[in-house]
Amino acid sequence: MSLWQFLESSQPLLKRCMELATVESNNKWIQKFGNKSEHFGKDEVSDTNTVNHQNDINDEAIPITNDPIEAMDIDEKPIFNPVRVKLERDDISREILDLEPITHFDYILEKCLENPNLYQILAEELPLNSIEKLFKHIYDTKNVNSTFLENFYTIFFPAFLKREPTRLSLDLLIKGKCYPLFHKHLLLIIFKDTELPSNILHDFVSTLNMNEQTEFLITLSHSDVPKEAFLYHLVTIHTAYKNSLKNNELQNYILAKLGHISENCATDKNYGRFLLNFLQSHKDYRTNITEIESIVETHRSAFKKPCLNILNEIKHVSKDK
């Protein structure tokens, strides 16, 4: 009995690939899947039908390449190709997953640059001890190819973090600051991806000093942060805000975001606690009073009364000035 089987929906694609392939004995498709007649039956792929089909191909002027998938019309290419993904993963299992990552690092780098899909496959399937060795080698090596580094931080790293979180995840995220530009981009990817556990970013931000937490918030303020992501990481942002160096730009940014999500957090205690800390810090700025008053009035958690008290203090001080 065959050990592999295609989905019913993939049969037309497989048939097309087999028809485009040559019938030489050393053809990789014939070796991998057998002759097309073995899969579709003699009646279905008769000589007459084959000739007619080849005529159709010539009429449509479809270029024949070494890759049967690439030989198809653009409109016919599937968004997700289970045949190709299976082949890629089989090849990776044979060629890379069992390799020692440091000894064969140059080979891994070369293959990843040739096919960016490999970053995610490696991140999902490499054993954790190999992942740790790979990260350490990249962090300790100077002059690593910049394209590889960019893809490593933006594709490999997020995919790896989606595996079960471990102490290793946090450790590698902290040490990743050795490439600050790529690391900053990674943090934005993590922040915007609500499929990642929120504690990953929270635990990381908790390890930062005051200047680093301030820089983290400034990075967010200069980026297009979705409302859903701000809500998802509300506790993390509050953690960074409490310890950050405040300035007028940062205050205005936090106020705008708190106002944007106020209706979603009318009874949320975490939001109320954040709003209270914001008001305590805003005593030194005393701006946007009307906007702040509207936010406080609509809030209904146990923190509303303390927020009203501080808001009144700010309003009185502003009148005295």
Side-chain angles (χ1 to χ4, degrees):
M1 179 179 293
S2 176
L3 297 178
W4 54 266
Q5 184 176 358
F6 288 98
L7 295 173
E8 184 66 27
S9 59
S10 299
Q11 294 294 330
L13 173 60
L14 174 61
K15 179 180 177 182
R16 183 70 181 276
C17 292
M18 300 300 291
E19 290 170 346
L20 290 174
T22 66
V23 295
E24 297 174 359
S25 60
N26 61 352
N27 178 271
K28 65 179 182 180
W29 283 84
I30 299 300
Q31 293 177 346
K32 184 73 177 179
F33 304 113
N35 189 282
K36 62 187 177 182
S37 61
E38 296 175 10
H39 303 283
F40 300 104
K42 294 182 180 180
D43 294 337
E44 187 175 354
V45 288
S46 64
D47 293 340
T48 302
N49 289 339
T50 302
V51 172
N52 291 336
H53 188 72
Q54 291 297 331
N55 290 336
D56 291 340
I57 293 175
N58 293 334
D59 292 340
E60 296 170 6
I62 299 176
I64 304 300
T65 71
N66 291 330
D67 187 340
I69 304 296
E70 295 298 329
M72 299 167 61
D73 286 334
I74 293 177
D75 292 339
E76 296 179 1
K77 293 179 184 177
I79 296 176
F80 173 72
N81 186 342
V83 177
R84 168 161 289 177
V85 170
K86 182 180 186 304
L87 288 174
E88 285 180 350
R89 289 186 180 272
D90 287 347
D91 291 341
I92 288 299
S93 298
R94 290 193 298 268
E95 297 182 14
I96 294 182
L97 288 175
D98 293 331
L99 294 179
E100 208 289 324
I102 297 179
T103 306
H104 298 89
F105 176 73
D106 289 341
Y107 178 73
I108 295 174
L109 184 151
E110 176 188 350
K111 291 301 179 183
C112 286
L113 290 176
E114 290 176 359
N115 184 357
N117 291 332
L118 302 189
Y119 291 99
Q120 182 165 343
I121 296 173
L122 288 171
E124 293 173 349
E125 299 189 11
L126 270 178
L128 288 181
N129 64 330
S130 296
I131 292 248
E132 185 173 10
K133 290 180 181 180
L134 182 61
F135 269 100
K136 186 178 187 308
H137 184 72
I138 291 172
Y139 290 165
D140 293 343
T141 303
K142 296 181 179 179
N143 301 321
V144 178
N145 181 280
S146 60
T147 301
F148 174 84
L149 276 177
E150 181 179 2
N151 290 335
F152 185 82
Y153 271 83
T154 59
I155 302 175
F156 184 100
F157 217 141
F160 163 66
L161 292 175
K162 288 185 178 180
R163 294 169 64 162
E164 184 178 355
T166 63
R167 296 178 66 87
L168 175 64
S169 306
L170 178 60
D171 183 56
L172 295 177
L173 191 55
I174 293 172
K175 292 178 179 178
K177 292 186 289 185
C178 61
Y179 292 103
L181 292 180
F182 295 122
H183 191 262
K184 182 181 294 186
H185 193 186
L186 170 64
L187 292 182
L188 287 175
I189 292 175
I190 295 174
F191 187 88
K192 295 179 181 181
D193 190 347
T194 55
E195 292 184 3
L196 280 166
S198 60
N199 66 295
I200 292 177
L201 188 61
H202 182 267
D203 292 346
F204 170 75
V205 168
S206 299
T207 68
L208 302 179
N209 59 38
M210 180 182 294
N211 290 330
E212 290 172 329
Q213 289 179 335
T214 303
E215 183 180 355
F216 170 71
L217 291 177
I218 291 174
T219 298
L220 292 182
S221 70
H222 293 164
S223 306
D224 182 17
V225 174
K227 176 181 179 179
E228 294 75 14
F230 198 91
L231 279 167
Y232 189 66
H233 294 291
L234 184 65
V235 174
T236 299
I237 300 168
H238 184 202
T239 298
Y241 175 79
K242 285 188 297 185
N243 303 316
S244 65
L245 298 169
K246 312 299 188 295
N247 58 47
N248 192 61
E249 179 185 1
L250 185 56
Q251 286 296 106
N252 288 336
Y253 171 72
I254 294 299
L255 175 58
K257 287 298 182 182
L258 289 177
H260 195 203
I261 65 173
S262 61
E263 292 184 1
N264 301 85
C265 303
T267 59
D268 191 314
K269 291 183 179 180
N270 289 324
Y271 177 92
R273 189 177 290 109
F274 194 167
L275 180 60
L276 179 61
N277 285 149
F278 170 80
L279 291 172
Q280 290 170 336
S281 299
H282 208 68
K283 289 180 180 180
D284 297 330
Y285 299 92
R286 300 186 298 276
T287 58
N288 304 308
I289 301 300
T290 302
E291 184 178 355
I292 295 174
E293 189 172 20
S294 176
I295 295 174
V296 174
E297 286 294 340
T298 59
H299 192 65
R300 299 193 301 275
S301 81
F303 288 91
K304 177 172 183 174
K305 186 174 182 179
C307 288
L308 281 172
N309 292 337
I310 296 179
L311 176 60
N312 288 331
E313 290 179 21
I314 296 175
K315 291 166 68 176
H316 288 314
V317 170
S318 298
K319 287 181 180 179
D320 294 339
K321 293 294 182 179

